[in-house]
Structure formats: C-alpha cells, structure tokens
Amino acid sequence: MKKSLLTRLFDLEEGEEGRVVLLLIMGFFMGAFLATFSVAAQTLFLNNHSAKNDLPGAFAVAGLFGMAATITYNFLQRRIPFQLLGMLSLITVTIITAAIEFADLFIDDKERIYYFGFTQLAPFTLIVLLVFWGGFNRMFNVRQTKRLFGSVDQGALIASLISFFAIPVILPLLPDVDALYTISLVSIAIFTILFIVLSSKYGGANWALKKEKETYQKVSIVSFFKNKYLIFLSVFIIVGMVAFQFIDYLFLNVSTQQFKPNELANFLSLFEATVVIFSFLVQAFVVDRVISDYGLRVAILVNPVLIAIFIGAALVIGSLFGHTAESATFIFFFIMIAMSQLFVNAIKESLDEDAIKLYQLPFETNIKIDIQTKLEGTITALAMVIAGGLIHLINKVEIFDILYITLFTIPIIGIWYFVGSRMYNSYRQTLQTTLVKNKTKVVGNVEREYTVDKVLEKEINGTVEDKVIYGLKLMEKLEPALFENAVIRMANSANPAIKSFAVERVRALGIEKDLDKNPELRELAQTAQGSAEDSDVLSIAPDRLMKLSKSVKPADRVLAAKLLRKLISQRTIFILLELLRDVDYNVRSEAIVTARKVKRPETFPVLIDLLSSPSYGHQAAAALIEAGEAALDSLETAFHKSGQTDLVMLRIVQIMGRIGGDKALQLLWKKADYPDKRIVKQILYSLRYINYRAAGRQAREVMDLLETEIGKTLWNLAALSELPEQDEFLLLREALREEIRLNYDQITILLSILYDPEAVQLVRENIQSGDPNGIAYA
C-alpha cells in the first residue's frame, strides 16, 4: 500500500497518522497562544514597570505561581483521569486569559493587570506543555516517543514563527498591544477543544483512572531525593534555568534602554521569530548530528560553552566601553547580550530539550510521567523563584548594576557546565539499571552464551544427584584440571552417592593429600586405595623406573607414569615422553596427567600433537593451559608449523585465550587478520572469555571486523526479506535465519571486546525481547 505524504514526511507507522495530525494542529494553536501571550505580557509589563527594580520580583512571583500550578497538577495526576485533568487545566488557563483580557472593564489599575499578566506567562507555559506532552507520552510507547517527539513539535514551531512575524504587521491594525490577548484567548480555546477531541477519540481505556493507577506510579519525596540521578538532573535544570533567567533579565533590561515603548513589541516579536528560525535550523541540521556523533554529554554542554563566550564578551565590552544607554558604544553591549539571549533560547528549544528528553529515557515507564511533571513543572518553577530571588538580592546592593548581573552569570554557567558533565556518568549507570529491570519483565528467557567450564560448574553445583554425577563425569573428560578441584570439594558432600563417587575418584587420581583435614574422609580415601597407595611413595632408581615403563603389563606402565610425578628429572623425562606415546589408553591418559602436574617444556610438543585426538585432546589442552605462559612459545611455533591441521590451530588459539596475559594477547592479535575466518572467530571468543577490552589500533581492527560483519548481516536480512514465503524456499529461509543468528552472535562478541560485555549482553537481550520499551532503552 502506498504511503501518504504525511506518513513519509514524519516517518509514521500504521495507525499513528490520526493521532499525529491532531497533535500537529494542537501544537499550532499552542504555539500561537504562547507567542502572542508572551509578546503582550512582556511588552505591557516593561512599558509600565521598571525593568531593573520590578523584574526580579516578577520572576520570583511567576515562579511561585508556576510551583503552585504544577504541584496542584501533580497532586491531581493520579486522583482524577488524565482527560479530566487536562480539560480542567486548560479551561483554567482559558478563564485566566479571559480575565486578563477583560479585567480593564472592572479594574482601573492597569499596571496591576499587566504585572499579573506577566507573572502568568510561566505557569501557562508549564501547564500547557505538561498537558500537551503528557497526552503525547500516554499515546505512544518509549520507542515511538523517541522517533516522533521531534515531529509533533513542528506544529508549535510553525505557529510561533507565523505569529511572531505577523505581530509587527497586525499591531498597527489593532487598537493597542492589549488586543494580542484576544488572539491568545482564541488560540487557547481552540487548543482546549482539540484536546477534548483527542482525548475522546484516542484516550479511551488507556487514560482511565484505573489504568492510570496501574500503569503509572508517583515518586515519593523521599525516593526522589534518594535517587542520585534525579538529583543531578534536577540540579542541572535548576542551574540552567537560573542562567536563562539571568540572561533574560539582562536582555529585557537592555531592550528597554535601546527601544522606545512603541517599538518594543515589534522588536520582541521579530527577535522571538529569529529565535524560532535559529531553533529550527539547529534542530534540522545540528541536533541529530551532535547527539549521534558526539553523544549526550556534549549535547548538554554546548549551551553553557556558547553562553560563556558571549557573556564574557559582553562583560569585557561593558567594562571597557560602557554598559548604559548614555554610552556611545552601548549598542555593542546590547548586541552581545542579545546574541546570548538568541543562542540561549534557540539551543534550549532545540538541542537542550531533545537532549533532556533523552536523559529521561532511563526512567522506568511507570514513573516517567510523574518524573516529567516534577522536572518540567515544579523544578523549573522553583528555579525561576531562585533566579528572581538572587537577582533581587544583587540589586539590593546599591553599588551593583547591570554589569554585575553579567559578572554573576559567569560562575552560574560554570556550575551548569560542571553538573552537566557529571550528570552523564550517572545517566549511563541509571540506563543500565533500567535495562536490567526491563529485562526481568520479559516473558521467556533469552538464550545466553555459556562457556563449557561455566556450564559444568553450574551442573555440579545443582541438587539433583544424577545430574551432579553426570556433570562430574563430563568434567573428568572435558576439563580434567577443574575436575580434580571439584571432586575434592564434593568429598564433603552430604549426599552419600556423590560423596562415594568423589572419594573413589580422589583415590584413583592419587590426590587424597589435597583433601580437607577431615579424618573420616582421609580414612575413607586411604582404605579405598589400599596397598596401591604405598607404591607412590617408594624411592625407585631410574633403571627400575625404566623397566616398569617397558613392562608388557599396562598396570606397570601406569604405575611408572604415576611415579614420575615425584621422580621427574633430566634423566627420567624421556621415560615420560615415551609413555605419552603409549598405545594403551590408560597409560597414555596417566602420562598426560603427569605431564600436566610436572609442567616440563619437553612435553609441550607431544601434548600439542595430541590436541587433534578425540580421546586425549581435552586432557592435553588442560595440561597446556595449566602450564601457563611457559607453553606459549611452543604453541606459537606449532600454530605456524607447515601442514598443521585446522583443528589443532583452533585448539591452540583457544588455549592461548585460556592462558591469558599480555604475551598471550599479543600472540592472539598477531593472528587477527588470519585468512581462515574460523580462526579469527575463535580468537574473538578467546578474547571475550577473558573480558578483554580493545583500545587504539586493536580497537580499529575490531571496528573493521564489526563493519564487515554488519554488512554480511544486512545482506542476509535483505535476502530473507526478498525470498517469497513459499514451501520450496522454506529450507533456504531457515538457513538464512540461522546465518543471521550467527551474525548477531559475532556482532555481540565484537561489541563485547569494544565495550562493557554486560552492557552489550543487556542491550541484546532487550532488543530480542520484542518489547518496544526494551528496544528503545537498548
């Protein structure tokens, strides 16, 4: 089915078009309301009150109104349905707007009306935005929110642009600036009606109070202050808003000095239109690139850095050339302050708001709405009160003037930068915690990768008798070194069958000296071994040992192999080398155990040759692993040996990874470009086993491998998508799915070498969960 222009333009999916269209129209009238109300409120206030003396108090009062409004909104949020809450909030805003518009019919003191109108700008903005974005968040999941929140805001952006440019044109046609309140009143009334339509058509059961209580929870004051990340985010918003208010105070002050009262409304509207244009340009060409290329840490630090530059320049210019209207160079001071205001608002409305919304992603879905209300409402309003109070206190000192306000803005910007840089670390920790919590909610278990030793350890630590014994038998064949430690531990088992099995194997291995100092266990082991044990401690001459190793009886040769563990020397090493090539399985197995215990370099080539043997390969690998770094040179030589089999090469790479250490890592990386991709894959598995983190040149090599693997994955996905779902292609489709699964495994391993393995695994599990919120967090 052909997609509509709107669907293609805003990257909509099926079923989203109706909701997004309504939100776009609502955004248009919201933008018109906020634009006309802000120009009217600011112009009338500045023309009738002292910017220097009255503005700080008005900021504080506006903040108090904002706090009262948002606290009430938050209090009612889980007590009445959101549809009713939104309607009541918007109707209240409409009534107060109407009261401001028609108050002059009942009140003669217009200055008081203008003061009240200015103080309502903050609560109106907070409440209208909370209702708009509250409805948006309730209609879309986290994944949709991340994709659409930039699109649905376009309506408000377009309306603001039209309104700000239209004001200078229509003002001469209006009786006075007060008439802008009429346009605001009409806009908010239409916005309210559209919200009622939206909630009735798309709210439904999801917006019901019962569903609201089940889905969303409130964060208590105690929990709020216990959450380190929430504190960081709150402090960042407060400090940033204080900086905004300081610059806003400076801007409005210098504007009243630069422009006459009848010019002020035109200037403010055109300036705000310029801000909208800059904001649009930043959002269109800068936001995505900054966030994707430089990350969220840089995104929230752009504004304080730019503001510091312009405010610093304004401070220097004001100090050297003058900062009052009487100064001939006042225009330069004014331009620096205006540029600060321009960039503050443009970046705040584009980059900052997008980044802050992404910073709110780590919060769990059930508390996200409440946190958003607190942060974007109460915390923001509190910051306005703090800013107004600080400016008022500064103005109380007679020697301080507007230049000192500029000076005091610098340390605030410094604090803002510091908190922002620290907040990012807390953000990453919170995001990972949310990933873990989200993973536990997924129905069904996502398949994990386990190494053989971990699987066996888990099996023998179980409680089912048969499984434990079976696990021990497997471990004896696959991981003989781990097996010895395991049976010594299992000799203390409370289960008689497991205990009996362990004691028997302890006797057979001759490692009863390693048992815990438990007399009962030691007695059992000694009794079980009987007279055969005494032969282990006899002092035998090399000639006698040679005769034993040449005996036609396998039992004698086995005894010789055991005795060599205590009698190994330069004179007897060749006996062990012969026994390592013995035709009898038991003799050769005992000789490999001896080689593992004595760790003589002479045995390494023989052990490497045995790696390809189905019968002795695991024992030989265990012996080489236990030998450690001493075996690396022999392994490296054997790897490059002419005619060496692929199986042995794979086992060598695996053993090097198990040995670990700097030397082993260097040898592994030397083979990273080996032509055989199976070898390269085993190298990656070995690096992943030891939780290696690549850096520098090695990281670039891993990135090259990652890009190649992603290319293969995309090709396979495209092939799977193009294949018809018909019976004759069933086997091919299954093969492609298996190949894609292997591609994902390889990508996960490569990412685990570059980044934190646990984080990579959590991301994969959340993506594979199929839950939209989990995918968005991932």
Side-chain angles (χ1 to χ4, degrees):
M1 188 175 69
K2 190 176 179 180
K3 292 183 178 180
S4 66
L5 176 63
L6 186 73
T7 302
R8 295 197 303 272
L9 186 63
F10 293 106
D11 189 25
L12 305 182
E13 295 179 356
E14 187 178 352
E16 295 176 350
E17 192 168 319
R19 289 174 286 174
V20 172
V21 168
L22 260 177
L23 284 168
L24 284 170
I25 299 171
M26 285 177 63
F28 182 88
F29 286 101
M30 179 179 72
F33 166 70
L34 294 176
T36 52
F37 191 91
S38 66
V39 171
Q42 290 181 79
T43 303
L44 292 169
F45 177 86
L46 293 172
N47 285 344
N48 293 273
H49 291 84
S50 168
K52 183 178 186 301
N53 299 319
D54 296 336
L55 195 54
F59 279 155
V61 172
L64 290 172
F65 272 120
M67 286 183 66
T70 53
I71 289 171
T72 304
Y73 181 93
N74 196 32
F75 175 78
L76 295 174
Q77 196 161 219
R78 290 185 74 249
R79 289 172 173 80
I80 61 175
F82 177 71
Q83 181 180 12
L84 179 59
L85 175 62
M87 288 168 56
L88 288 175
S89 301
L90 294 176
I91 289 170
T92 303
V93 172
T94 306
I95 291 171
I96 296 174
T97 306
I100 295 170
E101 164 67 3
F102 300 111
D104 58 341
L105 299 177
F106 308 99
I107 301 173
D108 295 331
D109 187 358
K110 286 194 172 183
E111 289 187 2
R112 189 176 297 176
I113 298 172
Y114 299 150
Y115 189 95
F116 179 75
F118 182 82
T119 61
Q120 296 310 297
L121 180 56
F124 282 6
T125 304
L126 294 173
I127 291 298
V128 170
L129 289 175
L130 281 173
V131 172
F132 181 79
W133 290 113
F136 172 76
N137 285 325
R138 284 170 172 82
M139 284 192 294
F140 301 103
N141 60 44
V142 177
R143 193 181 184 190
Q144 292 171 314
T145 299
K146 189 175 180 181
R147 176 168 49 84
L148 296 173
F149 72 70
S151 301
V152 300
D153 202 25
Q154 299 303 312
L157 194 69
I158 294 168
S160 300
L161 196 60
I162 294 171
S163 302
F164 285 130
F165 275 119
I167 287 172
V169 177
I170 65 172
L171 265 180
L173 307 176
L174 299 175
D176 50 34
V177 179
D178 297 57
L180 289 175
Y181 281 134
T182 306
I183 301 173
S184 304
L185 181 60
V186 173
S187 299
I188 191 62
I190 296 174
F191 180 82
T192 304
I193 293 168
L194 289 172
F195 175 79
I196 294 170
V197 173
L198 179 79
S199 58
S200 301
K201 191 171 183 180
Y202 296 105
N206 289 332
W207 288 14
L209 184 59
K210 182 179 178 182
K211 181 72 174 178
E212 190 93 358
K213 288 183 176 181
E214 291 175 357
T215 309
Y216 306 111
Q217 296 177 6
K218 289 183 73 68
V219 179
S220 67
I221 300 298
V222 175
S223 300
F224 189 94
F225 283 102
K226 281 185 177 180
N227 190 314
K228 183 181 176 182
Y229 179 58
L230 260 178
I231 296 298
F232 266 118
L233 202 52
S234 301
V235 173
F236 177 80
I237 290 172
I238 289 172
V239 177
M241 184 56 66
V242 169
F244 294 149
Q245 292 295 98
F246 267 64
I247 295 167
D248 199 30
Y249 173 80
L250 291 170
F251 173 72
L252 294 176
N253 263 278
V254 296
S255 297
T256 55
Q257 296 181 53
Q258 181 67 26
F259 295 96
K260 297 175 182 178
N262 60 339
E263 299 173 338
L264 193 57
N266 288 341
F267 167 71
L268 289 176
S269 60
L270 291 174
F271 183 84
E272 292 294 341
T274 308
V275 169
V276 173
I277 293 172
F278 265 78
S279 176
F280 174 76
L281 292 174
V282 171
Q283 189 153 14
F285 301 107
V286 177
V287 172
D288 289 340
R289 186 165 183 177
V290 169
I291 292 176
S292 61
D293 291 354
Y294 301 102
L296 284 177
R297 183 196 292 272
V298 173
I300 60 169
L301 299 178
V302 170
N303 217 346
V305 170
L306 285 175
I307 295 168
I309 293 171
F310 285 110
I311 287 293
L315 185 62
V316 172
I317 291 170
S319 302
L320 297 177
F321 304 107
H323 56 277
T324 59
E326 291 76 20
S327 172
T329 55
F330 174 73
I331 184 66
F332 298 112
F333 181 73
F334 167 76
I335 289 172
M336 284 297 106
I337 297 296
M339 290 294 287
S340 299
Q341 178 78 344
L342 174 64
F343 279 96
V344 158
N345 285 286
I347 295 175
K348 174 179 177 288
E349 292 175 8
S350 53
L351 185 59
D352 282 5
E353 288 187 0
D354 282 9
I356 288 297
K357 282 185 172 63
L358 292 174
Y359 267 100
Q360 292 177 16
L361 275 180
F363 296 118
E364 295 174 73
T365 308
N366 60 341
I367 61 171
K368 188 177 178 183
I369 295 290
D370 185 62
I371 286 174
Q372 182 187 21
T373 305
K374 286 181 167 66
L375 292 176
E376 297 181 8
T378 309
I379 296 297
T380 303
L382 175 63
M384 295 178 67
V385 176
I386 294 171
L390 286 173
I391 297 171
H392 181 72
L393 289 174
I394 294 169
N395 283 339
K396 279 288 185 181
V397 181
E398 292 184 3
I399 62 170
F400 289 167
D401 57 12
I402 194 171
L403 190 64
Y404 284 91
I405 301 292
T406 311
L407 178 63
F408 281 113
T409 307
I410 300 293
I412 294 172
I413 295 170
I415 297 171
W416 187 14
Y417 183 93
F418 173 76
V419 174
S421 60
R422 290 290 302 274
M423 184 175 72
Y424 181 76
N425 297 327
S426 184
Y427 160 77
R428 289 182 63 85
Q429 294 171 5
T430 307
L431 183 59
Q432 186 156 335
T433 302
T434 305
L435 278 170
V436 174
K437 289 182 180 178
N438 191 73
K439 183 195 69 177
T440 60
K441 299 175 185 176
V442 177
V443 179
N445 294 320
V446 182
E447 185 180 353
R448 280 179 169 272
E449 297 172 355
Y450 291 100
T451 54
V452 173
D453 54 339
K454 290 180 181 177
V455 172
L456 293 173
E457 284 282 359
K458 183 179 178 182
E459 193 74 10
I460 66 171
N461 288 328
T463 56
V464 181
E465 177 185 301
D466 293 341
K467 286 187 175 183
V468 173
I469 294 175
Y470 181 68
L472 287 169
K473 289 178 179 178
L474 274 178
M475 186 178 280
E476 185 176 14
K477 299 294 183 184
L478 301 177
E479 296 287 346
L482 290 176
F483 174 73
E484 291 185 8
N485 294 327
V487 290
I488 290 172
R489 189 173 73 251
M490 290 298 172
N492 288 308
S493 175
N495 186 298
I498 297 173
K499 182 175 179 179
S500 174
F501 176 86
V503 170
E504 181 186 343
R505 286 296 190 270
V506 166
R507 175 201 61 78
L509 293 169
I511 55 172
E512 58 280 286
K513 63 180 182 299
D514 296 324
L515 282 172
D516 294 335
K517 295 179 180 179
N518 187 318
E520 181 187 354
L521 291 175
R522 179 171 292 279
E523 184 180 348
L524 282 170
Q526 289 172 348
T527 303
Q529 186 169 6
S531 60
E533 183 185 347
D534 295 334
S535 62
D536 282 357
V537 295
L538 294 175
S539 179
I540 300 177
D543 293 341
R544 173 64 178 152
L545 195 59
M546 172 67 76
K547 288 180 180 178
L548 276 175
S549 67
K550 298 291 185 181
S551 172
V552 295
K553 296 179 180 179
D556 290 341
R557 302 200 298 277
V558 167
L559 179 59
K562 286 184 176 181
L563 291 170
L564 281 169
R565 296 171 198 174
K566 298 176 182 178
L567 302 174
I568 196 71
S569 66
Q570 201 64 33
R571 296 178 61 190
T572 58
I573 186 64
F574 70 92
I575 299 174
L576 178 59
L577 295 176
E578 287 184 6
L579 292 175
L580 284 171
R581 295 183 176 90
D582 199 282
V583 294
D584 186 83
Y585 174 80
N586 292 328
V587 175
R588 193 181 292 194
S589 295
E590 205 62 53
I592 294 172
V593 173
T594 299
R596 173 160 58 84
K597 292 183 178 296
V598 299
K599 301 181 180 67
R600 292 293 294 244
E602 296 90 343
T603 63
F604 297 160
V606 183
L607 292 171
I608 292 170
D609 290 340
L610 291 173
L611 289 176
S612 59
S613 168
S615 301
Y616 310 107
H618 291 293
Q619 298 179 65
L624 290 165
I625 291 168
E626 201 154 318
E629 286 197 6
L632 288 175
D633 291 332
S634 298
L635 290 166
E636 178 70 4
T637 303
F639 182 89
H640 297 289
K641 181 181 176 182
S642 178
Q644 187 63 274
T645 64
D646 294 346
L647 177 59
V648 172
M649 294 168 78
L650 284 169
R651 297 298 293 274
I652 287 172
V653 169
Q654 188 180 47
I655 291 165
M656 285 181 172
R658 293 287 295 275
I659 291 172
D662 293 338
K663 186 175 180 180
L665 287 174
Q666 290 174 9
L667 293 174
L668 287 172
W669 272 116
K670 282 170 62 178
K671 303 171 184 61
D673 57 351
Y674 196 80
D676 190 335
K677 296 304 177 185
R678 292 176 302 165
I679 303 293
V680 176
K681 188 173 183 178
Q682 185 57 59
I683 291 170
L684 297 176
Y685 275 120
S686 298
L687 294 170
R688 173 65 186 88
Y689 178 81
I690 59 176
N691 287 332
Y692 175 71
R693 296 287 291 276
R697 182 181 64 83
Q698 295 169 351
R700 289 193 295 273
E701 290 176 1
V702 176
M703 285 297 293
D704 291 340
L705 292 169
L706 186 59
E707 288 177 5
T708 303
E709 196 64 34
I710 289 172
K712 293 178 185 176
T713 309
L714 289 172
W715 192 95
N716 289 329
L717 287 168
L720 184 63
S721 176
E722 291 296 325
L723 272 178
E725 294 190 13
Q726 298 174 3
D727 291 342
E728 56 264 36
F729 298 107
L730 181 63
L731 292 176
L732 182 55
R733 290 178 67 85
E734 288 299 320
L736 281 170
R737 287 194 185 95
E738 178 63 18
E739 182 69 19
I740 290 167
R741 190 187 68 77
L742 294 174
N743 291 145
Y744 287 158
D745 289 343
Q746 188 81 339
I747 289 171
T748 302
I749 293 169
L750 289 165
L751 288 172
S752 299
I753 294 171
L754 289 171
Y755 308 105
D756 177 41
E758 290 185 6
V760 172
Q761 185 66 15
L762 282 172
V763 166
R764 180 176 181 177
E765 290 176 1
N766 276 267
I767 290 173
Q768 291 180 332
S769 70
D771 177 62
N773 291 338
I775 293 169
Y777 291 132

